[in-house]
Amino acid sequence: MIDIDQVRISFGGLHALDGVTLQLGDDIEEGAVYGLIGPNGAGKTTLLNALTGFVGIDSGRVSIAGVDVTGASVHERARLGVVRSFQTVRLIEDESLEDNLAIGMYRFRRGRAVAEMLGLARSQRRHDRKRVADMAATLGFDASDLRRSVTELPFGLRRMAELGRVILSEPRVALLDEPAAGLEQDQRVQLADVLRSLATDQGVTVILTEHDIEFVRRLCRRIAVLDSGVNIAWGEPATVLAQPDVHRAYFGESEDV
């Protein structure tokens, strides 16, 4: 599904990614959740930006589902089914929860003008509204929340709204940047259930960055570890988290200490 080959990105003199190679075609499968962890400044968000086209790469290559997307734009990658959420929640602040969720279906609505001429738009709108309402209920919203401005929602629900928008886009690959940040414990449990369902029931490959190691350990099939722009480990969570290099990256000391 994903092949990252010798990707380098620099910002001035800072090497945000320094030859990162993650050739995951044999290990990354459809319908599973994977983790990308590392200390602050390790390059996790930069790698997601490189995968989605939000930043260009200085050298290297990125392929998704066998398609070389190194020079592809953000919207071209989105059409391939590569969708992401952000570390800082990005919603349309002046719009309702319902509208923010519905935006996720944009890539399936190119023929709306034709549909309106044929009188099909009303039934399509009913179908869209039902999908949005069902998604809101799955994420823990009340029916009355749908018409509320997203500015009125507490942070945890805003985070869940962004996740709902991602899911409604029917991605092939969902890249989530710290989706559990700022959530209460019960919301984290709900989030884990939603992500498992997204992977197993819809066959979506989910890759998330996260600082909550226990959340990653319980949810992810495999994890990659970045440190100072270099990938230092990849494998099953229990094996990776026991490696001395990973301990040093997080704590600056050996496993024994």
Side-chain angles (χ1 to χ4, degrees), residues 38-98:
N40 288 331
K44 303 182 296 297
T45 295
T46 301
L47 184 55
L48 295 193
N49 287 338
L51 287 169
T52 50
F54 279 84
V55 297
I57 65 176
D58 298 328
S59 63
R61 182 176 59 86
V62 175
S63 297
I64 296 176
V67 178
D68 187 338
V69 298
T70 305
S73 66
V74 173
H75 67 270
E76 287 170 334
R77 300 183 201 210
R79 287 174 184 163
L80 290 173
V82 182
V83 184
R84 68 166 296 177
S85 69
F86 294 89
Q87 202 174 100
T88 301
V89 177
R90 298 189 184 182
L91 298 171
I92 300 179
E93 301 293 344
D94 295 332
E95 299 295 337
S96 66
L97 170 65
E98 182 179 45

Side-chain angles (χ1 to χ4, degrees), residues 105-122:
M105 296 182 282
Y106 78 97
R107 69 189 186 101
F108 306 108
R109 299 293 176 261
R110 299 178 195 172
R112 186 175 295 281
V114 175
E116 287 175 352
M117 286 189 292
L118 296 175
L120 301 177
R122 182 174 298 176

Side-chain angles (χ1 to χ4, degrees), residues 38 41 43 63 83 96 101 103-104 107 129 151 159 162 167 169 176 203 211-213 242 246:
S63 297
V83 184
S96 66
L101 290 173
I103 287 169
R107 69 189 186 101
R129 287 196 181 106
T151 58
R159 176 75 72 185
E162 188 175 46
I167 297 173
S169 72
L176 310 178
H211 285 291
D212 185 338
I213 298 300
V246 174

Side-chain angles (χ1 to χ4, degrees), residues 132-232:
V132 166
D134 290 345
M135 177 56 60
T138 298
L139 296 174
F141 291 97
D142 295 328
S144 59
D145 290 329
L146 285 169
R147 300 308 173 101
R148 293 174 64 186
S149 169
V150 291
T151 58
E152 301 174 16
L153 299 175
F155 179 81
L157 290 181
R158 288 165 58 84
R159 176 75 72 185
M160 298 299 274
E162 188 175 46
L163 175 62
R165 185 174 62 191
V166 168
I167 297 173
L168 284 169
S169 72
E170 298 183 19
R172 296 180 67 187
V173 178
L175 305 170
L176 310 178
D177 201 353
E178 298 189 21
L183 299 185
E184 302 291 341
Q185 182 57 36
D186 59 339
Q187 291 176 316
R188 289 177 181 238
V189 172
Q190 184 181 29
L191 171 65
D193 290 341
V194 169
L195 295 181
R196 288 191 191 96
S197 176
L198 180 64
T200 58
D201 297 342
Q202 300 182 38
V204 177
T205 300
V206 178
I207 299 178
L208 57 89
T209 74
E210 188 53 61
H211 285 291
D212 185 338
I213 298 300
E214 191 59 31
F215 183 84
V216 169
R217 185 199 301 270
R218 293 181 178 181
L219 181 63
C220 296
R221 180 176 295 181
R222 289 184 177 87
I223 58 176
V225 184
L226 293 184
D227 182 32
S228 300
V230 178
N231 53 303
I232 62 173

